[in-house]
Amino acid sequence: MTPRIPAAPASPAPAAPSAGAAGPDDGAAGPDRLAGAGLAAEPFFLMARASTMGSSQANRALTELGLKVRHYSVLGLACSGLEPTQRELSQFLVLDPSQIVAIIDELERRGAVERRTDPRDRRSKILVPTPAGEELYARAQELVAGATARSLAALTEEERDRLLDLLRRAAF
């Protein structure tokens, strides 16, 4: 079953200014002035910009839970039932193993996850959620869904579905 990208809420919260947006006294028109540059037609730039803007929205939403997108991603994989190893997390999220360790350490201190010995390879550790971690993830999912809806508000439901399909194909 394909997860749905939520539609924008009926009354979306006002968008925060873009990073690097021009201030009222600096005389520049802001980042929209550069949208006609050749760079704005390059897929990798557009994917990176959309990702950065979406992550920024999600990070703002997750602040109330004391999480960031990276914590959310690790917690989501822990709650998936797949019992990922730290190495798998590092590879899947394309993060340095030391970053994964730091994120897991923080989630573990919060009582959201536990490391357990991997029954398939006793040298490895798997990550499993605690009941508190599952509850935290459910709350975070709601916040991220709202941030996603705000980030993709300019798209129709069909366009959001198509975008999700294309991103999945590009990523895997």
Side-chain angles (χ1 to χ4, degrees):
M1 180 169 165
T2 302
R4 309 257 326 151
I5 298 175
S11 301
S18 299
D25 297 327
D26 64 11
D32 290 344
R33 185 177 74 81
L34 303 178
L39 183 64
E42 295 182 23
F44 287 105
F45 169 77
L46 292 170
M47 287 187 292
R49 180 167 164 80
S51 175
T52 299
M53 293 173 72
S55 291
S56 182
Q57 280 268 9
N59 279 332
R60 280 192 297 277
L62 290 167
T63 298
E64 74 179 67
L65 299 177
L67 296 174
K68 293 200 178 274
V69 169
R70 288 180 174 185
H71 299 92
Y72 174 80
S73 299
V74 169
L75 186 57
L77 289 167
C79 290
S80 70
L82 297 173
E83 299 182 337
T85 64
Q86 291 180 186
R87 177 174 293 165
E88 289 171 326
L89 290 169
S90 173
Q91 292 170 342
F92 187 77
L93 297 174
V94 193
L95 293 173
D96 187 85
S98 64
Q99 292 173 304
I100 291 295
V101 168
I103 293 167
I104 294 171
D105 286 348
E106 189 171 333
L107 290 170
E108 200 170 37
R109 276 192 297 277
R110 290 184 65 172
V113 298
E114 296 176 351
R115 287 177 172 103
R116 293 189 185 155
T117 301
D118 185 349
R120 299 163 294 186
D121 179 356
R122 300 201 51 80
R123 298 167 295 175
S124 295
K125 298 290 185 186
I126 57 172
L127 193 64
V128 295
T130 64
E134 290 174 343
E135 182 181 321
L136 178 62
Y137 181 61
R139 291 172 52 208
Q141 280 182 298
E142 292 175 14
L143 295 172
V144 169
T148 300
R150 287 186 296 280
S151 292
L152 301 178
L155 304 179
T156 66
E157 185 175 343
E158 293 80 23
E159 288 169 331
R160 287 189 296 273
D161 290 345
R162 182 73 175 137
L163 176 63
L164 183 61
D165 178 58
L166 291 171
L167 289 171
R168 188 176 289 111
R169 288 173 45 200
F172 299 105

